[in-house]
Amino acid sequence: MKEPLWQREADAVPEAAEPSPAVAETQGDYLSAGPPEAPARGEKKQKKQSKAGARIFYWVMFALPLAQFLLCYVAVNFNSILLAFKETFVVRDAQGVQYVSEFVGFDTIWRFLSVELTSKVYTVAVKNSVIYLVFSIAVVIPVGLIFSYYIFKKYRFAEFYRVFLFLPSVICSLIMVIFYSYLVDLSIPEFWQMLTGTRPEGLLTTKATAFGALVFFSFWFSFGPSSLVYVNAMSQIDPSVLEAAELDGAVGLRQFRSVVLPMIFPSITSYIIICVAQVAVNQLNGFSFYGTGASDYEAQTLGYNLFAVLQGAEQNRSYSIAAAGGIVLTLIVAPLTFLVRWLLEKFGPSED
Amino acid sequence: MARKNKISAFSVIVGILLGFYVFSILFLFLWALLNSLKTAEEFDFGTLSFPGSLNFNNYIVAFFQGFSKQVASGETMRYVYIEEMFLYSILYAGGGALCQVTATCIAAYLTAKYRNVFSRFMHGVIIITMILPIVGALPSQIQIFDALGLRGSFLGVYVMKFGFTNIYYLIFYGAFRSMPDGYAEAARIDGANHFQVFFRIMLPLVSTLCGVVFLIFFIEYWNDYQTPMIFLDNNPVLAWGLYEFFKSYDQALSTPTVKIAGGIIVLLPLLVLFLVFKKKLMGNLTEGGIKS
């Protein structure tokens, strides 16, 4: 019988090593385990009480997290679907301004598809999002892996480099945005002028270079958390495998390509899937750099557009178009994510 | 004796590239520090030069005037300044991180140790929510929180953060699954109930992991300004204050040197936090917990 998707994911939990048979014998299910060494007399009653106690504990502890999940995931997403089929109308009467939501069928979704998605703003956003996705998979992930391999092998100054790989992810991205924006808009043109005598416009305030500057910013400060995960995954490789490879002459790049990469491929798969899943969510810090004006420099992405629309929607409570956009993009990105996952599992390298 | 790694062309090239990378980060911070000490005239003259003298006026302006936001207070308006923003940041980041760690730990423990049908179902649901991308649920969340009166309050934010569908669920789950039942059995022989087993036996065993995950969430929420912008509009946090400061066109605040100084002011607590806890933050999350 084919394993359900969630079961495979459950089995792929990296640190959930299955206990040894000796330990497994002692590991039970707290829900059904009775009191150990219970006396014969009244044993049935004690077992019943213990099971009841376990159930009370289970449901009392799970109550709040479950309620939060039902509210903030199930209800929110259900309402999001409903919103996509509604429209908000502004009604002015004697009592003032009223916002009335009504079901309009597929009108809002159709408006998003026919008007919004085909507009120049969204066309550029789709193009930018896809470009960044390809860049992430083709450049950011490989460079992160190479850096992580250097840290894992503890080559010279590895610990020192590790601190600086991780540091930008700790610091508020807004701080880096402030420093970076003045650096590329003022200092780099100034430096270019010193070299060539001509001063170009700032990189973030020129249409031709704005998106590239955003991409470079994301690339420059993206290595931290992923490097932790990659180094951790590399640490799980049996040292004898690496020693055997070294004895066969596989060192440096050869060892990285032929031994390490296949063995940590599940971690790489996770990051590729995250990149694909976030293609419609990633703002590339556009809002931090430009506020609602990124489209003036053609630096917007799909994630930026959705957030910027929401900022505008606040004024007239018209969340429907943003919800409709979210539903449409989910219906495109979700199957794409599962497809990429399937392709990577089917055609990716294996430990063998 | 530790084996030395063989030096190869690959390691030399990557080492040099990493060196350039570290240099670029250090250059950026040094550049920001030097420019924060310049006057506006010095900055206009050149951004790649050293300051003529150490001018801390930018920091004074940034600290006392930069971080201010007008918010509604009943029927009136009032200003919130940096001290109050700092407090709101602590409440948002600390409270949010605590809620997230608590919910994640509880859910992972229950699904790992109480293996009934519902636990298996929830485990599967959590895995699916992690890989299924849901785009654009924010408008719906705003509407629901508005309807429930949760928007604009810390209670609402804590409700939002009391979730367990995050990557650290898997780490907690793995930790609890690999824990032998000997501890719990010994406690039950001594008469402990399930609550006591969890709070007095299991929770202390994952306390280090809880601490590290708390730190990670704390840093994430400390740096977040978009969620407070939407859900805590009358309680601006420091990151949001910095965003407003950065976008300000106020004459006294629009000088780049003042804005860079403002960025350094917000940077310092995080830098201290990182330097103190860097081993924990960068360590192996699977370590810690049970003593062998």
Side-chain angles (χ1 to χ4, degrees):
Chain A
M1 187 171 77
K2 203 171 173 186
E3 255 184 349
L5 170 73
W6 63 266
Q7 185 63 57
R8 264 178 280 160
E9 285 298 335
D11 292 344
V13 169
E15 304 307 329
E18 283 302 316
S20 65
V23 175
E25 280 174 17
T26 65
Q27 271 204 358
D29 168 16
Y30 288 6
L31 210 54
S32 56
E37 298 178 15
R41 194 176 175 182
E43 183 179 324
K44 214 174 171 183
K45 187 180 177 186
Q46 274 195 328
K47 248 193 174 169
K48 217 174 172 181
Q49 280 175 346
S50 180
K51 275 191 183 176
R55 284 201 185 98
I56 289 170
F57 169 75
Y58 184 86
W59 289 110
V60 164
M61 294 299 285
F62 225 149
L64 283 179
L66 201 54
Q68 193 273 357
F69 177 74
L70 290 172
L71 173 68
C72 293
Y73 191 84
V74 177
V76 162
N77 286 304
F78 181 70
N79 186 54
S80 188
I81 295 171
L82 291 182
L83 259 183
F85 294 96
K86 285 183 180 178
E87 187 54 85
T88 304
F89 299 98
V90 181
V91 174
R92 286 185 171 80
D93 56 21
Q95 291 166 336
V97 175
Q98 307 283 337
Y99 299 98
V100 177
S101 272
E102 288 178 6
F103 278 99
V104 294
F106 286 90
D107 284 2
T108 309
I109 293 177
W110 180 245
R111 182 155 64 92
F112 179 80
L113 285 169
S114 61
V115 176
E116 299 288 335
L117 208 54
T118 53
S119 66
K120 186 167 187 245
V121 168
Y122 262 92
T123 309
V124 171
V126 169
K127 182 192 81 173
N128 287 347
S129 294
V130 171
I131 288 172
Y132 187 69
L133 171 64
V134 172
F135 181 79
S136 297
I137 294 173
V139 177
V140 178
I141 290 179
V143 172
L145 281 166
I146 289 169
F147 284 175
S148 301
Y149 179 69
Y150 189 95
I151 306 294
F152 162 67
K153 293 296 282 181
K154 294 187 171 58
Y155 289 129
R156 198 171 283 262
F157 304 124
E159 275 308 305
F160 177 71
Y161 289 154
R162 194 172 177 218
V163 170
F164 282 90
L165 280 178
F166 194 72
L167 184 61
S169 62
V170 172
I171 295 167
C172 180
S173 64
L174 205 42
I175 298 172
M176 310 307 275
V177 163
I178 293 172
F179 297 167
Y180 181 81
S181 62
Y182 289 124
L183 183 77
V184 301
D185 271 350
L186 297 173
S187 293
I188 289 182
E190 187 180 315
F191 181 70
W192 193 258
Q193 188 178 26
M194 283 162 59
L195 291 178
T196 64
T198 55
R199 185 177 178 126
E201 294 293 321
L203 300 184
L204 285 167
T205 48
T206 307
K207 264 190 194 175
T209 54
F211 179 64
L214 287 193
V215 170
F216 182 78
F217 177 85
S218 293
F219 167 72
W220 197 8
F221 300 123
S222 64
F223 297 117
S226 58
S227 69
L228 267 191
V229 172
Y230 295 146
V231 171
N232 192 35
M234 290 175 191
S235 307
Q236 308 297 316
I237 299 173
D238 191 341
S240 59
V241 171
L242 296 173
E243 280 178 20
E246 279 176 20
L247 286 170
D248 287 340
V251 292
L253 182 61
R254 180 78 196 274
Q255 187 183 98
F256 172 68
R257 200 179 62 224
S258 306
V259 179
V260 172
L261 275 188
M263 298 200 81
I264 66 162
F265 198 71
S267 298
I268 302 172
T269 302
S270 302
Y271 265 95
I272 293 175
I273 290 169
I274 288 169
C275 286
V276 174
Q278 292 195 337
V279 69
V281 172
N282 200 334
Q283 297 180 20
L284 278 188
N285 294 290
F287 199 80
S288 301
F289 278 106
Y290 297 107
T292 53
S295 53
D296 295 341
Y297 304 98
E298 294 187 353
Q300 70 273 30
T301 60
L302 286 169
Y304 171 86
N305 271 8
L306 280 177
F307 190 77
V309 162
L310 199 61
Q311 295 296 302
E314 284 273 49
Q315 279 135 28
N316 58 7
R317 310 291 197 272
S318 179
Y319 302 127
S320 299
I321 195 71
I327 295 293
V328 168
L329 292 172
T330 300
L331 289 174
I332 296 169
V333 174
L336 182 65
T337 306
F338 285 109
L339 174 66
V340 166
R341 188 172 176 276
W342 178 79
L343 286 170
L344 287 169
E345 281 183 356
K346 193 162 173 61
F347 299 109
S350 65
E351 288 180 34
D352 303 332
Chain B
M1 190 168 159
R3 273 188 71 209
K4 279 199 165 183
N5 284 302
K6 275 189 180 175
I7 295 174
S8 60
F10 173 75
S11 65
V12 170
I13 292 168
V14 177
I16 291 170
L17 287 174
L18 271 167
F20 276 126
Y21 179 77
V22 169
F23 173 76
S24 70
I25 303 278
L26 284 172
F27 173 81
L28 182 67
F29 287 132
L30 189 63
W31 175 91
L33 183 64
L34 290 174
N35 280 290
S36 72
L37 296 170
K38 287 180 179 173
T39 61
E41 293 74 30
E42 281 178 328
F43 187 82
D44 288 340
F45 183 73
T47 63
L48 294 172
S49 54
F50 287 92
S53 60
L54 297 181
N55 176 26
F56 290 96
N57 191 53
N58 295 322
Y59 287 90
I60 295 169
V61 172
F63 189 88
F64 289 106
Q65 298 176 40
F67 294 89
S68 70
K69 172 110 185 80
Q70 200 176 34
V71 299
S73 176
E75 290 185 4
T76 56
M77 301 294 283
R78 69 181 183 95
Y79 278 94
V80 173
Y81 298 101
I82 190 171
E83 326 68 65
E84 203 172 333
M85 287 182 185
F86 187 82
L87 173 65
Y88 292 146
S89 285
I90 297 277
L91 288 173
Y92 172 64
L98 186 64
C99 288
Q100 190 105 63
V101 169
T102 304
T104 307
C105 182
I106 289 172
Y109 175 71
L110 294 174
T111 52
K113 289 299 193 187
Y114 293 79
R115 305 286 290 162
N116 55 20
V117 172
F118 187 74
S119 285
R120 291 188 170 94
F121 169 72
M122 282 309 299
H123 183 71
V125 164
I126 294 166
I127 301 293
I128 289 173
T129 60
M130 278 189 231
I131 59 173
L132 179 67
I134 303 281
V135 182
L138 192 53
S140 169
Q141 189 164 37
I142 292 172
Q143 207 182 47
I144 287 179
F145 271 53
D146 270 337
L148 293 174
L150 289 175
R151 196 169 162 206
S153 71
F154 279 101
L155 174 63
V157 166
Y158 295 155
V159 167
M160 193 192 315
K161 298 301 181 192
F162 199 76
F164 48 85
T165 55
N166 56 73
I167 193 76
Y168 301 103
Y169 164 84
L170 291 177
I171 294 172
F172 275 111
Y173 182 88
F176 284 125
R177 282 291 283 164
S178 59
M179 269 185 207
D181 284 337
Y183 300 110
E185 280 179 11
R188 292 211 323 268
I189 287 170
D190 286 341
N193 58 38
H194 290 267
F195 288 91
Q196 287 169 322
V197 166
F198 175 67
F199 284 106
R200 298 177 74 172
I201 308 293
M202 294 299 173
L203 208 49
L205 288 174
V206 291
S207 58
T208 307
L209 179 57
C210 286
V212 173
V213 176
F214 174 87
L215 264 177
I216 292 171
F217 279 126
F218 183 90
I219 291 169
E220 183 186 328
Y221 297 149
W222 184 271
N223 294 334
D224 178 21
Y225 71 92
Q226 291 187 354
T227 306
M229 188 188 278
I230 295 172
F231 292 98
L232 280 175
D233 45 355
N234 287 330
N235 305 101
V237 298
L238 209 53
W240 185 12
L242 183 63
Y243 175 78
E244 295 283 327
F245 182 9
F246 181 44
K247 297 297 175 199
S248 170
Y249 292 105
D250 187 286
Q251 197 175 4
L253 306 175
S254 58
T255 319
T257 50
V258 174
K259 294 190 182 186
I260 293 169
I264 291 179
I265 288 172
V266 177
L267 167 67
L268 285 174
L270 288 166
L271 206 53
V272 168
L273 199 71
F274 176 69
L275 291 172
V276 169
F277 293 108
K278 71 175 188 316
K279 279 200 174 138
K280 292 258 184 254
L281 284 169
M282 296 193 304
N284 188 342
L285 277 175
T286 60
E287 288 172 356
I290 297 179
K291 287 184 186 172
S292 56

